[in-house]
Amino acid sequence: MCVLSLPFLGCRAWLDVEFTKGKQVNKSQLIEALAGRFGGNKRAAAHALAAVVDTITREVARGEKVAITGFGAFEKQVREARMVRNPKTGERKRAKKTAVPKFRAGADLKAVVSGAKKPPKLIETTAPRAAKATASKNAAAKKSTKKSAVRKSAARKAPPNKTARRSVATSVARKSTTRNAAARGNTTRG
């Protein structure tokens, strides 16, 4: 038996999205609903859904039972060869042995569908945001490295005596004041 863990959806996460009543929910609508869990990232939602469906499909095809606690279990069921009847003509034929997928709903899913239990609150995933945060941290680290290199080179060029240091500091302050004034639209120099 293969128990599937869904850390990116949360083990007991349910979709709290209103779909059109009485109509089927297709894959793109399901991805749209999942995108809310991934901070609006449809690509991550589509990837997560594809990964879950692919994993379940491969395991069931191999003959394994995939059980998601509270949701249900997917398994392969073998139908033996049997005699069947064509309802239109009444003719009897022999059907070959075949394997079909089977799904049994879990207790939590049954309780939510029947109305005996409310679905758990939504759990938003932070995994896609964490990747973006890491990328932004790397970019910030590169910028700070460049700034520190500029500061070090400016410090090396400064003369060793105190009066010269003051004059360098005041000229730097004047330049930054002039830049700030130019950015604000003032053209006065001080």
Side-chain angles (χ1 to χ4, degrees), residues 11-12 14 65-75 102-117:
C11 276
R12 297 189 180 260
W14 298 90
K65 180 179 177 181
V66 179
I68 302 172
T69 306
F71 182 71
F74 299 88
E75 58 189 328
K102 180 182 174 185
F103 174 75
R104 286 183 296 125
D108 288 346
L109 179 61
K110 287 179 183 179
V112 170
V113 171
S114 70
K117 184 178 179 182

Side-chain angles (χ1 to χ4, degrees), residues 15 17-20 23-31 33:
L15 295 176
V17 178
E18 293 294 324
F19 294 108
T20 308
K23 293 190 177 181
Q24 290 183 350
V25 177
N26 63 25
K27 187 175 181 179
S28 62
Q29 290 170 329
L30 187 57
I31 289 171

Side-chain angles (χ1 to χ4, degrees), residues 143-157:
K143 287 180 183 178
S144 66
T145 306
K146 288 179 184 177
K147 287 181 182 178
S148 64
V150 170
R151 288 181 191 149
K152 286 179 184 177
S153 64
R156 287 181 190 154
K157 292 177 184 176

Side-chain angles (χ1 to χ4, degrees), residues 25 29 31 34 42 51 55 91 93 111 116 118 134 139 146 160 175 177 187:
V25 177
Q29 290 170 329
I31 289 171
L34 283 173
K42 287 185 182 179
T55 303
E91 178 186 358
K93 285 184 157 183
K118 289 185 180 180
T134 305
K146 288 179 184 177
K175 286 181 184 177
T177 307
T187 56

Side-chain angles (χ1 to χ4, degrees), residues 110-187:
K110 287 179 183 179
V112 170
V113 171
S114 70
K117 184 178 179 182
K118 289 185 180 180
K121 293 186 179 185
L122 291 176
I123 303 167
E124 189 170 328
T125 304
T126 58
R129 290 182 187 164
K132 289 180 183 177
T134 305
S136 64
K137 285 180 185 177
N138 290 341
K142 287 180 183 178
K143 287 180 183 178
S144 66
T145 306
K146 288 179 184 177
K147 287 181 182 178
S148 64
V150 170
R151 288 181 191 149
K152 286 179 184 177
S153 64
R156 287 181 190 154
K157 292 177 184 176
N161 61 21
K162 292 182 180 180
T163 56
R165 284 186 190 159
R166 280 189 214 132
S167 64
V168 170
T170 54
S171 67
V172 171
R174 284 183 189 153
K175 286 181 184 177
S176 64
T177 307
T178 307
R179 286 186 194 140
N180 291 342
R184 288 190 301 253
N186 300 340
T187 56

Side-chain angles (χ1 to χ4, degrees), residues 1 4 12 15-16 26 28 37-39 53 64 69 74 76-77 80 96 101 141-142 149 170 179:
M1 180 166 115
L4 183 66
R12 297 189 180 260
L15 295 176
D16 190 24
N26 63 25
S28 62
R37 301 283 189 95
F38 289 93
V53 170
E64 296 290 329
T69 306
F74 299 88
K76 182 178 184 178
Q77 182 179 17
E80 297 299 325
K96 296 179 181 178
K142 287 180 183 178
T170 54
R179 286 186 194 140

